[in-house]
């Protein structure tokens, strides 16, 4: 049997329902349609796992409500132009900068952009939020992994 799941918006309008045994279709405000898996009724988390998952979901929701999430990292840079006679080549060297650089991966390639100090102050918390989301999803994954190992239907191989 499939679970009866119905998605409603804040006004109580019907957004979606279970399709088949494993998927719920939800229509978002902008007309997008998203498929979400419906959890199997035969897999039950422990009360501690449910509590942990609820806490994680609340923290993820709080970050999502803000919408301030940015992947990558911000680093502090001092550079040298290597022009003869420049102060960056003197002894002792006086490098150019400071400069702030935001770096991230796009399609497997490193992409960087220079930022102002004001931008660093604004965007560093966004990067911290992204890192926190990664930690939280790793904790959710750990709950799922422990459920698989605790499931008596999992075949044991030696």
């Amino acid at each position: 049997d499939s679970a009866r799941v119905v998605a409603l918006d804040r006004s109580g309008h019907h957004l979606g329902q279970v399709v088949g045994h494993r998927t719920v279709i939800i229509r978002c405000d902008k007309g997008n349609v998203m498929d979400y898996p419906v959890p199997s009724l035969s897999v039950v988390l422990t009360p501690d796992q449910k509590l942990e998952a609820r806490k994680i979901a609340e923290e993820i929701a709080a970050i999502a409500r803000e919408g301030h999430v940015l992947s990558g990292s911000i680093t502090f840079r001092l550079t040298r132009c290597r022009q003869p006679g420049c102060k960056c080549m003197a002894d002792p060297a006086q490098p150019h900068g400071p400069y702030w650089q935001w770096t991230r991966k796009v399609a497997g390639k490193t992409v960087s952009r220079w930022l102002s100090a004001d931008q660093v102050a604004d965007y560093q918390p966004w990067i911290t939020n992204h890192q926190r989301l990664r930690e939280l999803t790793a904790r959710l994954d750990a709950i799922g992994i422990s459920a698989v190992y605790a499931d008596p239907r999992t075949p044991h191989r030696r």
Side-chain angles (χ1 to χ4, degrees), residues 20-137:
H21 285 38
R22 300 275 185 237
T23 304
V24 63
I25 304 288
I26 298 178
R27 286 175 187 79
C28 299
D29 293 338
K30 296 183 180 175
N32 300 333
V33 175
M34 304 173 88
D35 293 348
Y36 291 98
V38 175
S40 169
L41 298 177
S42 59
V43 176
V44 179
L45 297 177
T46 67
D48 287 345
Q49 289 172 324
K50 287 180 184 178
L51 179 62
E52 175 78 3
R54 241 181 254 115
K55 288 178 182 177
I56 292 168
E58 288 170 6
E59 192 171 346
I60 289 172
I63 293 170
R65 275 191 299 273
E66 258 181 49
H68 298 161
V69 178
L70 183 65
S71 64
S73 62
I74 297 176
T75 54
F76 175 81
R77 300 270 188 222
L78 296 172
T79 63
R80 294 190 172 143
C81 68
R82 300 182 186 232
Q83 296 291 324
C86 182
K87 66 179 183 171
C88 70
M89 300 302 288
D91 188 19
Q94 297 175 4
H96 302 283
Y99 300 111
W100 295 95
Q101 190 175 36
W102 167 49
T103 304
R104 64 190 176 111
K105 291 282 189 179
V106 176
K109 299 199 183 271
T110 302
V111 177
S112 296
R113 183 176 189 125
W114 297 109
L115 301 176
S116 69
D118 288 344
Q119 287 176 303
V120 171
D122 289 341
Y123 291 118
Q124 186 60 57
W126 294 35
I127 289 172
T128 302
N129 283 343
H130 182 265
Q131 293 166 343
R132 183 67 182 146
L133 285 174
R134 289 177 57 113
E135 292 168 3
L136 292 168
T137 55

Side-chain angles (χ1 to χ4, degrees), residues 143-158:
I143 291 170
I145 291 167
S146 66
V148 169
Y149 280 101
D151 190 334
R153 299 171 300 162
T154 302
H156 297 283
R157 295 188 181 202
R158 296 187 190 239

